[in-house]
Amino acid sequence: MSEKAGSGRDLWGGHFSSGPAPLMEQINASIGFDKRLYAQDIRGSIAHARMLAHSGIISEEDCDAILMGLETIQDEIEQGKFAFSTELEDIHLNIESRLTDLIGEPGRRLHTGRSRNDQVATDLRLWTRDALDRAVMLIESVMRALVERADRHAADVMPGFTHLQAAQPVTFGHHLLAYVEMLARDRSRFADARKRMNVSPLGAAALAGTSFPVDRSMTAEELGFDAPCDNSIDAVSDRDFVLDYLAGASILAVHLSRLAEELVLWSTPQFGFVRMSEDFTSGSSIMPQKRNPDAAELVRGKSGRVIGHLQAMLVTLKGLPMTYSKDMQEDKEGLFDAVDTVELCLAASREMIRSMQVFPERMEAAAGVGFTTATDLADWLVRVKGAPFREAHSVSARAVKRAEERGCGLEDLSPDDLAAIDGRLEAAVFEVLGVHRSVASRMSHGGTAPERVREQVARWRSVL
């Protein structure tokens, strides 16, 4: 660094007569984390420099020097040769100072018509937009993994649960497709957030706009924004796009946590529905028989971390007056960590689904436990005998009680047992008491019948 560019205070003039206290420097510096914005900061500066030259605010020669210097800086950062300085506070001052070192006076002209306020807002929007795009792609990869598994298990029967009690038979494919629906909503939330945030703050300057004849539409177009922000105050103070990402990420994290919880349950010896790959499990230091579903548990646990970042950002913003306050520096670490966490959890979830071993015979054995075809018996009375459903429900409940007394399943009751409960229960009722017949009968739209599951698999394949 040159002596002239020694500190952030040097860059904004001589109003201060002394440097900051070491503790102030420590609390004020953000370069430790906002250096992740270097590519976006350079990209925004390139667009700004081109616009300044196009508008006649700086010369073409100065613009060429600036572009050359920014390209050099990007190379230095990516090759690990750039010396980041906490004295220069943030990524913006670090790059600007280095630019002046490299090209001299033209580097000092780059900041014309903008402020760090609109600069950081632009950088963070660009970074978040990239994160939203990655999230959509990763979500789709998990959806594809679930769809492929659903196709393979479209007719494999398992118990469906309410209150974690066996309720009705469903197919494993149908169960997995429920998560595809959840993830599709997550995908749409991120896509909607991208549409809302895709406007450019650049040129709003500190808060009031600028007196220079800047062309904000030009920089917006070059940076891939749909338009410039229409209000300079809102442009620098808005962090809704951060909240949008964190809100979508929190809901997504909850969905991934629910899936992870089921993988944890299903992989226990008590369920035995799936066996997690060794790649995503661990052993025990004392119990040699253990295979712990650590990756699933960590996906489940990290949901709280993501939700916490949303809460922190909401609390940080809730009492801020217009426009920019230094509190807003706290928008980055939580966002960065949430993005890293969500992307890791999505990738881990996808690979756990792809690599797990499924045991359809264990699922089928469990599917009939707990009298899960009791509703089928009641439906048969309504459909075949014309009984009112509430009456049929009562008859079926008495049949369940009789089976409990006998210590057997509904399908194991004798015809005499059923006839004693209600004379309308004839031998034909046994046709609906098997779990495979039960799922095959659920042909309503969105139902668990294998035919419907395969239709949904085909639909999702075409969508994805």
Side-chain angles (χ1 to χ4, degrees), residues 262-274 291 293 362:
E262 297 213 294
L263 294 177
V264 170
L265 285 173
W266 293 342
S267 63
T268 61
Q270 289 73 22
F271 276 78
F273 293 175
V274 303
R291 181 184 286 203
R362 289 294 301 268

Side-chain angles (χ1 to χ4, degrees), residues 25 32 81 104 117 134 154 168 171 197 216 250 266 297 304 306 313 315 342 360 387 403 438 445:
E25 194 172 275
K81 298 177 180 178
N117 294 356
R134 290 196 306 273
Q168 292 179 289
T171 66
M197 61 86 68
R216 295 188 61 212
S250 295
W266 293 342
E297 291 171 350
V306 176
M313 192 65 213
V315 173
V342 162
S438 174
H445 179 81

Side-chain angles (χ1 to χ4, degrees), residues 278-327:
E278 291 183 4
D279 293 342
F280 296 98
T281 57
S282 71
S284 165
S285 64
I286 190 172
M287 295 167 284
Q289 83 283 6
K290 295 291 294 296
R291 181 184 286 203
N292 299 321
D294 283 8
E297 291 171 350
L298 287 166
V299 169
R300 184 178 62 187
K302 287 179 185 295
S303 62
R305 181 172 178 164
V306 176
I307 295 165
H309 289 315
L310 171 61
Q311 177 76 357
M313 192 65 213
L314 287 166
V315 173
T316 296
L317 291 173
K318 75 173 185 66
L320 294 186
M322 292 295 190
T323 56
Y324 181 84
S325 298
K326 198 70 171 192
D327 313 49

Side-chain angles (χ1 to χ4, degrees), residues 171-236:
T171 66
F172 189 48
H174 188 58
H175 194 110
L176 294 179
L177 287 178
Y179 285 103
V180 176
E181 297 287 340
M182 294 157 75
L183 290 170
R185 294 191 295 273
D186 294 319
R187 181 183 63 165
S188 71
R189 273 183 278 271
F190 284 114
D192 289 345
R194 192 193 195 284
K195 292 176 185 176
R196 273 192 300 277
M197 61 86 68
N198 202 38
V199 288
S200 173
L202 193 57
L207 76 160
T210 177
S211 59
F212 291 97
V214 297
D215 186 343
R216 295 188 61 212
S217 295
M218 178 180 173
T219 52
E221 182 177 357
E222 179 161 344
L223 294 172
F225 290 114
D226 296 327
C229 299
D230 288 328
N231 183 286
S232 61
I233 290 176
D234 181 60
V236 299

Side-chain angles (χ1 to χ4, degrees), residues 364-435:
E364 183 174 339
V369 175
F371 312 107
T372 58
T373 57
T375 304
D376 295 279
L377 190 153
D379 287 347
W380 182 88
L381 279 169
V382 173
R383 189 172 59 252
V384 177
K385 297 298 183 180
F389 181 78
R390 286 301 174 197
E391 180 183 322
H393 183 282
S394 177
V395 172
S396 182
R398 294 200 301 273
V400 168
K401 185 175 181 180
R402 181 64 57 86
E404 287 178 331
E405 293 169 350
R406 295 278 192 272
C408 66
L410 286 173
E411 65 277 13
D412 299 318
L413 290 172
S414 69
D416 291 340
D417 282 328
L418 291 176
I421 294 166
D422 189 290
R424 291 169 291 187
L425 294 177
E426 56 195 42
V429 75
F430 287 101
E431 295 178 2
V432 301
L433 296 184
V435 292

Side-chain angles (χ1 to χ4, degrees), residues 1-29:
M1 296 290 177
S2 70
E3 191 173 323
K4 286 184 179 179
S7 73
R9 291 192 177 182
D10 293 331
L11 287 172
W12 60 67
H15 181 66
F16 291 85
S17 58
S18 64
L23 192 57
M24 174 58 184
E25 194 172 275
Q26 183 180 352
I27 195 172
N28 192 46

Side-chain angles (χ1 to χ4, degrees), residues 117-132:
N117 294 356
D118 62 329
Q119 189 177 356
V120 68
T122 302
D123 292 357
L124 197 57
R125 277 182 190 263
L126 290 170
W127 193 92
T128 305
R129 189 175 68 187
D130 290 342
L132 288 166

